Amino acid sequence: MRPEMLAVASASGGVLSHLVYFIHGHRSMEAPKIVGFYIVAVCLLWMRCIHLQGAVHGASNAGIISASYFLGLFTSILVYRIFFHRLRRFPGPFAAKVTKLYGPYTALDRKPHLHWSKLFDKYGDIIRIGPNELMALSIDAQQKIHGAGSPCSKQNSAYESVNYKGHPNLDTILNHKDHRWRRQIWDKAFSTKSLETYERNAREVVYEWLEKLKSLQGQPINTSLYSTLIPFENMGRMGFSASFGSIKAGKEDDMLHYLEVTLGTLAKLGLLWWPIALMNAIGGSNDLIKFQKLACQMVDRRGEQADDEHEDIMKYFLEDYHSKEPKTMHHIDDIYSDAQAVMTGGTDTIAAVLSFAFYYIARDPTVQDKLRSELQPLFGRTAPGEFTNHDLGEAAAPYLNAVINETMRVDNPTCANGPRMMPPEGLEIDGVLIPGETLVYVPINSMHRSAKYFKEPDSFIPERWTTRPDLVIDKRAFHPFLLGPYNCVGKRLAMIVIRFTIAYTVWNYDFKFAPGEDGTSIHRDMINQAILKAGGLHCVFNKRA
């Protein structure tokens, strides 16, 4: 066969592959099989051609066949995505329409959430951010996609790619029924009785923080670092009845380091999931493997103790696992998987809130003054010489909670929110039909900072939650802990840790930016690694008389 005919036939094969296989369904999780198939196929092709036709002629034909096939395949993909794809009429950057590599491009500066907000300003409220992905800045989308009774599903690569040996955690379970069973166990672990123990743990951790401040009084302290160590230490106690000693040491534990490196790797991919599937196929990255190993060791050590010996989250996981008829923990890997979720959710999200809260409070002395005035009658109200979570609730401490809410609004830890797959029949959002089997993101950070829903959206104004409600156009846009059946199960615990840390610190110490610190680094150096991580901020703390 002449070379030109060989090229046409091979290119036609590439087009046919796209039309018959690639165009149907989502293939990210099949990446290992696809890559493996093509490596083997190309190698066999070259070997066969060279064997039958000799080195020069065979290699030439093999090259023509290979190049033409892939040229036809990718040309077909490109033409389809631009002119025939069901999302072709949705606005967005041209690059996003043709390749998912646009995601990693937006993540180059590690701040893709800021890039998304700019896209909304430029293209409107529903934008195409990938070949089969949309992003919606919409209350209607928020309610219909994430609210109770939503017809949308988690059946997508964003969740399928993040599990432990094929065992999903609470957040990555795809089946609604399985999720309900798993959620029941988690809810038991966060019952009112359990929270009483967690409250004591949180107070002990905060006292370790205060002792550290006492030992370093007058010296500049990286509050962003300790904002991570505080919830990390708390996570160890409420999750596993374990103490890491990280606050006393004043540095990150190995487990915390591996966790942050792993999250950072995910974030660099910018909503691109097939590389994760490839990585998982070869065993995962070294840091991920080390993190998973340490998490499993934590579970094993806790499992050597009696289930009822300590009041922690693992107690309830192990109880279900050891029961005659487990509801959800059928395999030890189920616990290992959820243990990693405990470590992630119980550390980084709280760390971001505390980091930025310290920044806003240190920046404005009047915020500290208002907090102390509110805390004055609450100190010792229920427990002598202590604050209690009940006394720091929204009814008793509205300004404290307003500071927390405003921090979570302006710098919410969960920037993107997980995507949802539209039902086959599609879903109407704000009068626009979103085609079926489309992935849609509703980014929390962009909603929280949208002028559609908040006046002066980029300004930190706690009073919008108390005396100036006119600054909130639509309160439904504020959903820092998500909403619907997949909302944050640890919300109440997170609020205990945040309230205690702020209340005890403000009550015992005056603090301000350290000499030479202007506060710009906390936002300049922040990175979105799936969960927002603040840049450094150095403050000086002085004990109050």
Side-chain angles (χ1 to χ4, degrees):
M1 184 180 293
R2 291 184 300 175
E4 57 269 23
M5 295 298 295
L6 195 62
V8 171
S10 300
S12 299
V15 173
L16 190 63
S17 297
H18 175 231
L19 297 178
V20 172
Y21 176 73
F22 288 103
I23 204 172
H24 302 289
H26 299 265
R27 306 295 182 185
S28 292
M29 299 312 298
E30 298 175 16
K33 295 180 181 179
I34 294 172
V35 172
F37 169 79
Y38 278 118
I39 289 175
V40 171
V42 170
C43 288
L44 290 176
L45 169 68
W46 279 69
M47 291 171 60
R48 181 70 173 171
C49 288
I50 291 174
H51 175 71
L52 294 176
Q53 302 172 354
V56 176
H57 189 58
S60 175
N61 283 340
I64 291 173
I65 294 172
S66 301
S68 298
Y69 173 86
F70 286 111
L71 179 63
L73 173 62
F74 289 112
T75 299
S76 179
I77 291 174
L78 187 67
V79 171
Y80 169 72
R81 288 176 174 178
I82 296 174
F83 299 107
F84 302 103
H85 197 281
R86 57 186 178 275
L87 300 184
R88 63 188 180 277
R89 292 186 176 88
F90 287 88
F94 179 78
K97 298 180 180 182
V98 299
T99 175
K100 286 184 68 67
L101 293 177
Y102 181 75
Y105 167 75
T106 64
L108 286 175
D109 64 354
R110 311 292 296 278
K111 298 178 178 64
H113 58 292
L114 302 182
H115 182 81
W116 301 330
S117 293
K118 293 178 181 178
L119 291 181
F120 286 122
D121 292 338
K122 182 176 181 179
Y123 294 105
D125 294 340
I126 302 178
I127 56 177
R128 189 178 178 185
I129 61 165
N132 196 54
E133 291 85 26
L134 297 177
M135 192 166 276
L137 184 69
S138 163
I139 293 290
D140 194 37
Q142 173 212 68
Q143 299 293 320
K144 290 180 179 178
I145 293 174
H146 294 282
S150 171
C152 303
S153 74
K154 283 189 168 185
Q155 298 283 345
N156 61 78
S157 304
Y159 296 99
E160 294 171 2
S161 61
V162 184
N163 56 49
Y164 178 72
K165 295 183 178 180
H167 294 259
N169 60 49
L170 176 69
D171 188 52
T172 60
I173 292 177
L174 304 180
N175 182 277
H176 288 297
K177 181 180 178 181
D178 293 340
H179 179 268
R180 283 197 303 270
W181 284 116
R182 186 69 62 88
R183 180 65 184 246
Q184 286 181 16
I185 303 300
W186 277 77
D187 285 339
K188 287 178 64 177
F190 288 99
S191 66
T192 301
K193 176 185 175 182
S194 299
L195 286 172
E196 291 175 356
T197 300
Y198 302 158
E199 182 172 334
R200 291 194 295 271
N201 291 339
R203 187 178 289 109
E204 291 174 1
V205 170
V206 170
Y207 270 111
E208 290 183 13
W209 158 240
L210 296 179
E211 281 297 311
K212 190 67 176 181
L213 289 178
K214 182 179 179 180
S215 68
L216 297 173
Q217 184 162 324
Q219 300 180 40
I221 296 174
N222 186 349
T223 57
S224 294
L225 169 62
Y226 283 94
S227 292
T228 302
L229 300 182
I230 291 169
F232 178 68
E233 189 67 34
N234 186 76
M235 176 276 297
R237 299 186 192 195
M238 65 90 178
F240 307 89
S241 295
S243 175
F244 300 117
S246 53
I247 296 175
K248 184 177 181 180
K251 61 180 181 180
E252 291 189 352
D253 182 275
D254 285 344
M255 187 183 300
L256 183 57
H257 169 73
Y258 296 139
L259 169 62
E260 293 190 346
V261 171
T262 299
L263 289 175
T265 300
L266 293 176
K268 290 177 183 177
L269 295 174
L271 311 181
L272 186 66
W273 305 109
W274 60 261
I276 300 174
L278 289 176
M279 194 179 302
N280 289 339
I282 60 175
S285 67
N286 289 332
D287 290 304
L288 174 60
I289 293 172
K290 290 176 182 177
F291 169 67
Q292 292 176 336
K293 182 178 180 180
L294 288 172
C296 294
Q297 291 173 352
M298 292 287 292
V299 173
D300 292 340
R301 283 198 292 267
R302 178 62 180 86
E304 294 171 357
Q305 306 167 19
D307 287 358
D308 60 354
E309 185 174 341
H310 300 285
E311 185 66 32
D312 55 24
I313 294 177
M314 286 302 116
K315 168 186 173 179
Y316 296 93
F317 292 178
L318 292 167
E319 280 182 351
D320 186 61
Y321 176 64
H322 291 145
S323 64
K324 291 183 179 180
E325 296 183 3
K327 292 182 178 180
T328 182
M329 299 297 181
H330 302 286
H331 193 282
I332 189 63
D333 285 343
D334 291 324
I335 300 183
Y336 289 155
S337 185
D338 265 3
Q340 294 166 44
V342 170
M343 293 177 174
T344 305
T347 301
D348 284 358
T349 51
I350 300 174
V353 177
L354 288 178
S355 297
F356 289 107
F358 275 124
Y359 162 74
Y360 290 116
I361 296 171
R363 185 184 67 173
D364 187 353
T366 61
V367 175
Q368 294 186 47
D369 294 339
K370 291 179 180 179
L371 285 171
R372 290 195 190 102
S373 296
E374 182 174 83
L375 294 172
Q376 176 74 45
L378 303 178
F379 185 70
R381 171 186 283 187
T382 302
E386 303 291 353
F387 290 112
T388 66
N389 184 56
H390 178 267
D391 292 334
L392 297 178
E394 292 186 7
Y399 188 72
L400 169 64
N401 287 276
V403 168
I404 296 171
N405 283 343
E406 187 68 348
T407 300
M408 292 192 293
R409 185 193 68 80
V410 178
D411 295 295
N412 188 264
T414 309
C415 297
N417 205 346
R420 296 291 188 269
M421 183 73 74
M422 297 299 99
E425 67 276 14
L427 188 67
E428 186 175 290
I429 301 296
D430 291 329
V432 178
L433 179 63
I434 307 298
E437 299 185 356
T438 298
L439 276 182
V440 180
Y441 293 82
V442 183
I444 297 178
N445 188 279
S446 296
M447 289 193 71
H448 282 187
R449 285 202 174 213
S450 172
K452 288 174 58 180
Y453 306 119
F454 301 95
K455 296 179 181 179
E456 301 182 52
D458 295 327
S459 299
F460 180 83
I461 308 174
E463 288 77 12
R464 78 172 72 238
W465 305 106
T466 54
T467 58
R468 300 187 63 189
D470 59 293
L471 294 178
V472 179
I473 299 171
D474 193 331
K475 194 173 183 179
R476 293 177 300 169
F478 181 67
H479 58 298
F481 294 101
L482 314 186
L483 73 160
Y486 294 97
N487 68 348
C488 178
V489 67
K491 171 184 176 179
R492 291 194 293 170
L493 174 64
M495 290 302 293
I496 290 174
V497 176
I498 296 168
R499 286 168 179 161
F500 274 15
T501 303
I502 295 175
Y504 276 98
T505 304
V506 170
W507 184 252
N508 287 279
Y509 285 89
D510 288 309
F511 58 98
K512 59 184 179 180
F513 292 167
E517 174 70 76
D518 61 4
T520 58
S521 59
I522 193 167
H523 285 105
R524 183 193 66 216
D525 299 335
M526 71 176 177
I527 55 175
N528 177 352
Q529 48 184 34
I531 298 173
L532 199 63
K533 180 178 176 60
L537 175 72
H538 289 82
C539 293
V540 173
F541 293 77
N542 292 296
K543 190 77 170 68
R544 294 180 65 220

